[in-house]
């Protein structure tokens, strides 16, 4: 049991208490950020004359050695230390002796952990952003390839009106684009450096907090020391943004599971992204999509959990806040994993375009357009709605699509129908007539794709 704070105590910590309290098993994840923060801290201490240049050099060299030894596997982060901060400091003192004992001058673990978590989160936000971008690129590519892939658009999971695959995927493009904007926004708001807040009330040393903030790539120092050590808002924001990413991935997964079902057969998930059954030889299951949908619950859970943890904590630091780490780490790893796998799955998925188009045809998705045809020939809309309703009933009875009716059949229901009805209700016409901003028509979609491309070029 290696602790930084033995001085005031006369008894050893109970082993169970030690284990309950320790965080090294999970905060070892940010050893790199801890060392990065310490290097900036001593650089500032030396600039301010609080440490000598020589002490600074020795400390930095020692810290860099620790980092490379951890990375090469020569040095293992073991659980005999209470947390990653103790591990690094104890190792430094072992290596360089006296100067190592000065590392923690003008610093508390409270501002140290606040810094480490921010640095870690900021790095991970960049990674999340990169993964979202990759997904957007795959979506845009698929959109470009499927401007004329007709499929039913649904409401209530009932076939409604024809759209294109490009249009359907374009809806997700917008969702994931907003997810990226949320990440960017969180990064901007959280990018202030808490180091120098001390335990809660700043320090008596003449620290240059602006300098440390600059060294670590922050936009400036945080402005209230009590807030600095007890703010976890940015983690709650990130958990919320990741919950939204997962919600989007989960909806999309649900659709892919439906599309991949024996009844729909709109898509074939690649063998590399499917699994089989131990008993039923014919099975090829969409497990990845199901797992993405399932793991969404973990990320929502982390959000609720941290909100609940934070709600009763008086200012300033309290140990409750140590609970932020496992939740956030797990949620980040889950979201990143799901994004990467989901992107791979849709990149390799086959779209059965014929089945999609047939499904649109046989679901009366062009019924609205048949009514519009009558309106264009002088029939009031309400009457047209009734006439087409009768047509649909007739087709259901005869088990055919609207397009499969003969002109005579059309005419027995309304004499207004002429030969041009076929063109008016073809999938192509139904989609291509819809060209207002955001609609599925090719011209409108081409504009949406150009806007998507311009966005990806800028961001
Ligand atoms: N492991 C602690 C955490 O994650 C580090 C801060 C400890 N500070 C303290 N006063 N005990 O919150």
């Amino acid at each position: 049991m290696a602790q930084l704070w033995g001085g005031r105590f006369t008894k050893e910590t109970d082993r169970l208490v030690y284990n309950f309290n320790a965080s090294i098993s999970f905060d070892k994840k940010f050893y790199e950020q801890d060392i990065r923060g310490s290097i900036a801290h001593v650089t500032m201490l030396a600039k301010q004359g609080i440490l000598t240049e020589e002490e600074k050099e020795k400390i930095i060299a020692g810290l860099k050695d620790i980092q490379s030894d951890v990375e090469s596997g020569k040095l293992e982060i073991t659980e005999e230390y209470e947390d990653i901060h103790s591990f690094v400091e104890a190792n430094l003192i072992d290596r360089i002796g006296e100067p190592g004992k000065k590392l923690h001058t003008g610093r508390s673990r409270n501002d140290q952990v606040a810094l480490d978590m921010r640095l870690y989160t900021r790095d991970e936000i960049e990674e999340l952003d990169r993964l979202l971008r990759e997904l957007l690129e795959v979506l845009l590519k698929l959109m470009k390839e499927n401007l004329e892939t007709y499929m039913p658009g649904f409401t209530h999971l009932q076939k409604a009106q024809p759209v294109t695959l490009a249009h359907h995927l374009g809806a997700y493009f917008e969702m994931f684009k907003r997810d990226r904007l949320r990440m960017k926004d969180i990064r901007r708001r959280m990018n202030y450096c808490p180091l120098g807040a001390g335990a809660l009330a700043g320090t008596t040393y003449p620290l240059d907090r602006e300098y440390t903030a600059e060294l670590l790539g922050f936009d400036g120092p945080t402005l209230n020391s009590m807030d600095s050590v007890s703010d976890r808002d940015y983690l709650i924001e990130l958990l919320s943004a990741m919950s939204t990413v997962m919600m989007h991935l989960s909806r999309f997964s649900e659709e892919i599971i439906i599309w991949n079902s024996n009844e729909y057969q709109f898509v074939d998930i690649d063998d590399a992204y499917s699994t089989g059954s131990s008993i039923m030889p014919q099975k090829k299951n969409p497990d990845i999509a199901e797992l993405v949908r399932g793991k969404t619950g973990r990320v929502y859970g982390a959000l609720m959990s941290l909100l609940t943890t934070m709600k009763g904590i008086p200012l300033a630091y309290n140990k409750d806040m140590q609970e932020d780490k496992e939740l956030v780490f797990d949620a980040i790893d889950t979201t990143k994993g799901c994004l990467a796998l989901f992107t791979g799955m849709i990149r390799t998925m086959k779209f059965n375009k014929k089945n999609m188009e047939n499904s649109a045809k046989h679901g009366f998705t062009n019924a609205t357009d048949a009514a519009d045809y009558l309106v264009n020939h002088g029939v009031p809309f309400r009457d047209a709605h009734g006439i087409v309703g009768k047509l649909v009933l007739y087709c259901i009875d005869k088990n055919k699509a609207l397009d499969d009716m003969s002109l005579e059949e059309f005419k027995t229901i309304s004499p207004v129908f002429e030969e041009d009805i076929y063109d008016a209700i073809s999938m192509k016409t139904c989609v291509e007539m819809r060209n207002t901003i955001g609609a599925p028509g090719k011209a409108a979609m081409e504009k949406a794709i150009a806007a998507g491309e311009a966005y990806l070029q800028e961001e």
Side-chain angles (χ1 to χ4, degrees):
M1 295 196 274
Q3 293 152 324
L4 297 170
W5 38 264
R8 185 222 183 278
F9 288 77
T10 54
K11 264 194 189 171
E12 279 264 300
T13 320
D14 182 277
R15 187 81 234 178
L16 286 176
V17 172
Y18 181 83
N19 290 344
F20 190 65
N21 193 49
S23 53
I24 187 114
S25 63
F26 46 87
D27 64 20
K28 65 181 172 193
K29 215 173 167 92
F30 52 50
Y31 75 89
E32 188 276 323
Q33 286 81 1
D34 193 73
I35 290 173
R36 208 194 308 165
S38 289
I39 291 175
H41 182 60
V42 296
T43 306
M44 180 276 293
L45 290 179
K47 181 179 98 57
Q48 298 301 93
I50 302 166
L51 292 183
T52 66
E53 276 301 306
E54 203 195 329
E55 287 166 334
K56 176 189 95 176
E57 297 300 334
K58 283 200 175 126
I59 295 175
I60 293 181
L63 288 168
K64 286 187 172 160
D65 280 349
I66 294 174
Q67 182 170 346
S68 61
D69 286 353
V70 168
E71 267 151 27
S72 70
K74 208 163 124 196
L75 176 62
E76 205 194 325
I77 305 178
T78 59
E79 306 217 347
E80 87 190 74
Y81 298 92
E82 181 188 345
D83 55 30
I84 191 63
H85 325 297
S86 321
F87 169 84
V88 172
E89 191 175 320
N91 250 279
L92 184 70
I93 296 169
D94 275 356
R95 280 168 197 243
I96 66 164
E98 284 305 304
K101 294 183 185 166
K102 297 191 175 179
L103 168 67
H104 211 50
T105 315
R107 189 175 73 172
S108 153
R109 275 184 301 165
N110 295 352
D111 59 345
Q112 188 177 358
V113 79
L115 171 71
D116 292 359
M117 197 61 186
R118 264 181 210 240
L119 288 174
Y120 183 85
T121 306
R122 195 177 65 182
D123 291 347
E124 292 295 319
I125 286 179
E126 264 152 43
E127 188 55 14
L128 282 161
D129 183 68
R130 190 187 64 73
L131 288 163
L132 280 165
R133 196 193 148 83
E134 244 173 59
L135 174 54
L136 287 175
E137 274 165 3
V138 171
L139 284 173
L140 201 64
K141 179 170 174 286
L142 289 170
M143 285 161 71
K144 282 190 220 161
E145 293 166 2
N146 288 288
L147 281 165
E148 288 173 287
T149 306
Y150 303 116
M151 65 178 286
F154 296 86
T155 61
H156 315 275
L157 205 53
Q158 306 275 323
K159 294 176 193 179
Q161 288 175 341
V163 294
T164 63
L165 180 58
H167 191 241
H168 197 117
L169 298 175
Y172 285 104
F173 186 91
E174 293 304 313
M175 294 180 230
F176 292 118
K177 187 173 86 185
R178 289 194 296 273
D179 285 331
R180 268 192 96 202
L181 292 172
R182 269 185 278 276
M183 293 294 164
K184 193 174 165 186
D185 200 34
I186 295 167
R187 190 193 186 287
R188 183 176 57 76
R189 213 175 359 265
M190 68 164 280
N191 201 31
Y192 294 90
C193 184
L195 198 62
L200 76 160
T203 72
T204 52
Y205 300 95
L207 306 185
D208 184 346
R209 292 195 59 209
E210 276 167 341
Y211 182 63
T212 327
E214 196 188 312
L215 287 176
L216 292 166
F218 287 103
D219 293 326
T222 51
L223 295 181
N224 179 291
S225 58
M226 289 176 91
D227 176 51
S228 309
V229 290
S230 45
D231 165 31
R232 299 292 182 274
D233 295 8
Y234 69 101
L235 296 177
I236 290 169
E237 286 191 42
L238 178 61
L239 288 171
S240 163
M242 289 192 298
S243 293
T244 309
V245 170
M246 290 302 297
M247 180 268 291
H248 290 151
L249 285 177
S250 184
R251 289 182 78 175
F252 205 166
S253 292
E254 170 72 10
E255 295 204 301
I256 288 171
I257 293 163
I258 295 172
W259 292 354
N260 187 65
S261 68
N262 303 136
E263 280 68 26
Y264 275 70
Q265 296 183 34
F266 281 10
V267 298
D268 277 319
I269 299 176
D270 196 77
D271 276 6
Y273 285 86
S274 313
T275 56
S277 156
S278 61
I279 175 169
M280 297 165 284
Q282 84 281 14
K283 286 285 217 130
K284 196 178 123 183
N285 297 327
D287 289 31
I288 299 305
E290 288 169 14
L291 273 172
V292 169
R293 189 177 60 183
K295 282 175 190 290
T296 302
R298 285 164 75 136
V299 180
Y300 289 7
L303 171 63
M304 277 323 295
S305 184
L306 188 57
L307 277 168
T308 311
T309 296
M310 292 304 295
K311 87 179 190 25
I313 305 184
L315 290 178
Y317 179 83
N318 293 262
K319 199 60 173 262
D320 319 40
M321 285 189 253
Q322 179 169 287
E323 285 293 306
D324 62 356
K325 287 169 202 68
E326 285 166 288
L327 297 172
V328 171
F329 292 161
D330 182 69
I332 289 175
D333 290 344
T334 302
T335 310
K336 283 196 315 187
C338 289
L339 275 169
L341 278 158
F342 190 90
T343 302
M345 179 178 68
I346 61 164
R347 183 188 277 133
T348 51
M349 200 161 74
K350 269 200 202 56
F351 293 94
N352 300 327
K353 304 183 183 187
K354 271 260 129 351
N355 292 352
M356 290 183 166
E357 183 165 350
N358 269 335
S359 167
K361 260 194 192 150
H362 289 273
F364 305 107
T365 58
N366 47 3
T368 314
D369 298 81
D372 289 345
Y373 172 92
L374 293 174
V375 171
N376 288 333
H377 289 73
V379 182
F381 181 76
R382 195 44 63 209
D383 295 341
H385 190 284
I387 294 167
V388 177
K390 283 205 188 79
L391 275 179
V392 168
L393 210 59
Y394 177 85
C395 285
I396 292 172
D397 188 47
K398 297 271 183 273
N399 191 23
K400 43 167 91 173
L402 284 181
D403 320 49
D404 298 334
M405 305 230 305
S406 68
L407 188 57
E408 286 68 53
E409 287 174 304
F410 271 114
K411 279 192 173 295
T412 54
I413 292 175
S414 167
V416 182
F417 287 115
E418 293 300 340
E419 194 58 42
D420 58 351
I421 177 63
Y422 295 103
D423 187 44
I425 62 168
S426 77
M427 285 300 122
K428 194 173 169 61
T429 313
C430 294
V431 170
E432 293 317 328
M433 293 297 285
R434 291 174 157 80
N435 267 317
T436 46
I437 295 173
K442 196 172 171 198
M445 274 311 296
E446 271 165 353
K447 282 192 196 135
I449 287 171
E453 259 171 349
Y455 160 75
L456 284 179
Q457 234 155 47
E458 272 167 38
E459 304 280 336

